[in-house]
Amino acid sequence: MEKTIYQKLNAHYRHIYSFTDSKQISYLYLNEPELIATEFNPTGRILTKGYDHIDLLDEIHIITIDKGKKQIRRFSFDEERSEASYIKKKEQVVKDITGYTIIRQSEKALLLQNEEGFYTYLDYDVYNRSYMLELTPCFLEKAQPFGQEFKGYAKVSFTNQFGVKEEGYINRKDYVFQGNQKIKLYSKEEILGKSLIKK
């Protein structure tokens, strides 16, 4: 059975770098197993437009840097075909993250830091209602990636609206937070207690 484009992207991709007017351009290149492809003999498929830099985030998203802008783009697919077929060079911008540094990615969430040094999380799971939304306002003073201690949880700390420092764990599945007073924090004991409850 032929692999879908999603599976191919996950298993067989790499970058092609070319130079134009002394500028290095990056493309995402699908190195299909049945083709012998090299940078000097690119008989495989170039999937994306050229960018200053490009990284594969997951099977359907790429992170690009181009002309100073850092953006998350989603691949376009021909959904009418029996197997999803990638429409070459039709990636769409779904989120601009210019000004953010990507610290870590885990559990389909990016841990981002802004230029002032504060943290937030960006959801990139297409099946979540918070897809491409920040899971907290960007005011966290400390933040761990999701799953570092407990699956689905991340340890954070911030100063609340009364100037009091708060620390605890946020849940990956909680709805998008509207402000620091809306953030639901869990203690380690609560998380451990939940894991002991038989379902």
Side-chain angles (χ1 to χ4, degrees):
M1 190 169 88
E2 187 182 349
K3 289 184 178 180
T4 66
I5 193 73
Y6 299 93
Q7 293 169 317
K8 286 180 180 179
L9 281 170
N10 212 20
H12 304 285
Y13 77 94
R14 62 194 176 99
H15 292 161
I16 286 181
Y17 295 101
S18 63
F19 293 86
T20 308
D21 298 327
S22 301
K23 183 180 179 183
Q24 183 170 307
I25 304 294
S26 179
Y27 300 87
L28 187 67
Y29 171 85
L30 185 60
N31 189 16
E32 297 182 273
E34 64 272 16
L35 299 173
I36 299 172
T38 69
E39 294 179 19
F40 306 104
N41 180 28
T43 55
R45 287 194 289 162
I46 294 176
L47 297 182
T48 65
K49 290 176 275 190
Y51 300 100
D52 294 340
H53 185 77
I54 182 172
D55 285 311
L56 189 68
L57 183 57
D58 66 4
E59 294 90 340
I60 61 173
H61 297 98
I62 54 177
I63 298 173
T64 63
I65 300 174
D66 199 49
K67 297 176 183 173
K69 287 190 175 181
K70 185 187 294 183
Q71 297 173 318
I72 298 175
R73 298 172 187 262
R74 184 172 172 179
F75 300 145
S76 292
F77 292 89
D78 183 354
E79 302 293 350
E80 295 180 2
R81 296 180 60 165
S82 58
E83 288 197 17
S85 176
Y86 181 71
I87 303 171
K88 290 171 66 177
K89 302 185 181 183
K90 287 287 186 181
E91 54 273 12
Q92 302 166 329
V93 176
V94 287
K95 188 72 174 181
D96 191 306
I97 55 172
T98 304
Y100 287 97
T101 301
I102 299 171
I103 305 300
R104 278 278 299 277
Q105 60 188 80
S106 61
E107 298 188 9
K108 294 283 186 179
L110 292 176
L111 174 55
L112 302 175
Q113 185 179 36
N114 70 10
E115 293 170 341
E116 288 77 38
F118 294 102
Y119 298 91
T120 186
Y121 299 90
L122 179 70
D123 183 341
Y124 64 91
D125 187 341
V126 292
Y127 300 107
N128 285 346
R129 57 184 175 174
S130 51
Y131 174 67
M132 285 299 151
L133 296 176
E134 292 180 15
L135 298 178
T136 68
C138 194
F139 73 108
L140 300 175
E141 293 157 9
K142 292 183 181 178
Q144 293 179 345
F146 281 102
Q148 185 164 311
E149 291 184 58
F150 304 103
K151 183 174 174 58
Y153 292 87
K155 189 174 185 180
V156 301
S157 68
F158 60 91
T159 302
N160 67 20
Q161 69 269 32
F162 305 110
V164 177
K165 181 88 78 175
E166 292 195 43
E167 185 175 280
Y169 297 83
I170 58 173
N171 189 321
R172 179 73 178 80
K173 293 181 180 178
D174 281 346
Y175 192 64
V176 180
F177 307 110
Q178 302 302 316
N180 55 3
Q181 70 273 18
K182 302 286 187 181
I183 290 181
K184 167 68 175 161
L185 288 178
Y186 299 84
S187 67
K188 187 176 286 191
E189 291 72 29
E190 285 178 294
I191 297 169
L192 289 171
K194 282 185 177 184
S195 67
L196 296 174
I197 297 173
K198 292 183 179 179
K199 295 182 179 180

